[in-house]
Amino acid sequence: MPYIHYLPDDRAIEIDDDDIILEASRRAGIPHTHICGGSARCSTCRVLIVEGLEFCSPRNSAEDELAKKLRLEPEIRLACQTQVAGGKVILRRLAIDSEDLESFNDEMAGKFIHAPVGQEKKIAILFADIRGFTPFAESLLPYDVIYVLNRYFQKMGYAINRNGGMINNYMGDGFMALFGLENPDKAAEQAVRAGVDMLEELEKLNPYFETLYRHRLRIGIGIHCGLVVVGNLGAEQNQSVTAIGDAVNLASRIESANKQVGTSLLISEETYQEIKDLAIVNQRVSVKIPGKSGEYPLYEVVGMPPIPVEIEEISEVERSSIWQSFVKRLKRSFAAVRNWIRKLFGL
């Protein structure tokens, strides 16, 4: 016999095959909100199917219409329209209190649309941090600290963005960047190229800081690829995309490992396996990661080969410039050969 396990109530009830979730809730005395009376005219009865989605009936036309309007993920179902048959379903009621109801009513009124609760994705996470920045900052005026950080973040942002990533979180003088949110296929390569570019940008920037403050910035970069939950975080009107999961924590620990190894750019084994045919690796080290058992192999990356340019990517202006350059070189070669023949035969 199928049954439903409710969260956050932590209650399980047996049901009949093809029972509708909302009706089963009401029979069991579970306080399941349903403002419209169960006619798919609101979303207050919605639930998150944590486990057992395969035992739930497909969306009918009424539920499908509302799901498209609110851009609901497949795991978010209307309890008033969803039947359960043949197995165990674990679900979480999403309307718990008055604030939830207010939020759902605003959605139905078109005031805003909720982003998906979260999606599990395999992405690349990059953490970066300035070494010894606190004592350096203490020697500066506050305005100078802001100036240095903005100049630094601007250059690092260029390196991140041109390699397909996005900085989504600043933490003092450090930040987290994500790669592969749209397409994970080259997330590892993009992240490592960004890390190498960041070090090159810093080398260009440091002479300026030396002239101005007699100080060179040093950074540590850690990169890891793994599964995370990507979703919007923050107050309704001020949300930003972020990633949550163990892979994020590991990337942060890898960045910190640069301190004990004396390196600038370390990547995880998972990242290395995806870019080992490209990355220029100086050394492999084994490091104990706080909060993890055993030692983790990490790789110090010191370079990446340039990205090959496909001829289709070259603009008409660039093609014309390349052709003109080729013609000029050809003319110079003919002139040199002609002069050599004249000298040889005394012409």
Side-chain angles (χ1 to χ4, degrees), residues 17-74:
D17 262 332
D18 296 324
D19 219 347
I20 294 175
I21 293 175
L22 180 60
E23 293 178 358
S25 302
R26 294 170 68 182
R27 283 200 309 270
I30 292 173
H32 205 139
T33 308
H34 54 290
I35 296 298
C36 74
S39 59
R41 300 299 297 274
C42 76
S43 66
T44 57
C45 72
R46 76 169 75 167
V47 294
L48 168 65
I49 306 297
V50 178
E51 185 180 308
L53 184 60
E54 66 273 20
F55 300 121
C56 297
S57 60
R59 284 175 174 154
N60 57 29
S61 58
E63 183 184 6
D64 191 54
E65 182 179 349
L66 190 143
K68 287 178 180 176
K69 176 183 177 182
L70 299 181
R71 295 185 293 177
L72 301 180
E73 291 297 301

Side-chain angles (χ1 to χ4, degrees), residues 32 59 68 76 79 82-83 93 100 111 164 183 225 231 249-250 275 304 328:
H32 205 139
R59 284 175 174 154
K68 287 178 180 176
I76 305 295
T82 304
Q83 295 175 295
R93 293 185 299 114
D100 290 329
K111 292 184 180 179
N183 182 2
C225 293
N249 300 328
L250 183 53
I275 52 94
M304 288 282 281
K328 287 179 181 178

Side-chain angles (χ1 to χ4, degrees), residues 227 252 290 324:
L227 285 174
S252 176
Q324 289 173 2

Side-chain angles (χ1 to χ4, degrees), residues 8 16 36 131 162 222 283 335:
D16 296 326
C36 74
R131 295 288 173 258
R162 67 173 169 253
Q283 61 176 320

